[in-house]
Amino acid sequence: MKYYFAYGTNMSMEDMAIRCPTAIPAGWARLPGWRLIINTDGWPTIIPHPQATLYGGLWKLSADDEAALDHYEDVAGGLYSKQQMSVSTRDNQCLTARVYVAANSTEGTRAEKNVIKNILNGVEQFGLPDNYKNYLKNHFDEGEL
């Protein structure tokens, strides 16, 4: 199994149960030097930011789950690319994980309300730190991040 770091709607356990039925949640992790944005297409992605730390859910994926996620994120069509990044777990273990990054990294202002709802749901489900949860909640405003 391979590790996958989810920072957006794929933190939602309900959504991942549909997309990747054998994926196993493995706690939360952080990715220093990156931050979450909503791009101009309305999708969550990440961009480098030296003062930021991105938090997300860590999943263990089977080969079938990874193929399903590649399809969902439209890697073949170029919507997202899959990258290998070093993440730190809650107990400071360093792991290499797959991270999907949108080709469009131009920051927008609006996301669908269900996108925001699923991100915040995943934040709760993975038990991300309160300061990160509060940061996200303070930046959400009627579909904006």
Side-chain angles (χ1 to χ4, degrees), residues 88-145:
S88 296
T89 65
R90 182 178 189 164
D91 60 355
N92 293 317
Q93 181 183 9
C94 190
L95 301 172
T96 299
R98 279 132 182 81
V99 182
Y100 291 83
V101 180
N104 175 358
S105 63
T106 303
E107 193 165 359
T109 59
R110 298 199 67 74
E112 295 291 325
K113 286 184 182 180
N114 68 327
V115 168
I116 292 167
K117 178 182 157 216
N118 285 351
I119 291 171
L120 291 174
N121 187 35
V123 165
E124 292 289 336
Q125 291 173 332
F126 272 98
L128 296 184
D130 286 341
N131 63 337
Y132 188 70
K133 181 175 25 177
N134 293 336
Y135 164 78
L136 291 178
K137 285 181 178 181
N138 289 335
H139 286 80
F140 286 125
D141 180 24
E142 295 300 312
E144 295 181 14
L145 176 68

Side-chain angles (χ1 to χ4, degrees), residues 10-96:
N10 288 335
M11 285 192 294
S12 166
M13 302 227 180
E14 294 82 11
D15 288 356
M16 281 294 283
I18 294 166
R19 294 178 194 134
C20 302
T22 61
I24 301 167
W28 60 260
R30 61 188 168 278
L31 182 59
W34 292 83
R35 78 175 179 94
L36 177 69
I37 66 163
I38 300 299
N39 68 19
T40 54
D41 295 328
W43 295 112
T45 191
I46 58 175
I47 59 171
H49 189 280
Q51 289 93 21
T53 298
L54 177 70
Y55 288 82
L58 198 60
W59 295 91
K60 290 182 182 179
L61 300 181
S62 68
D64 288 343
D65 290 327
E66 186 173 1
L69 206 51
D70 286 353
H71 177 74
Y72 176 76
E73 301 293 355
D74 194 16
V75 172
L79 184 63
Y80 281 81
S81 67
K82 184 170 48 175
Q83 300 180 22
Q84 305 282 16
M85 295 187 186
S86 182
V87 299
S88 296
T89 65
R90 182 178 189 164
D91 60 355
N92 293 317
Q93 181 183 9
C94 190
L95 301 172
T96 299

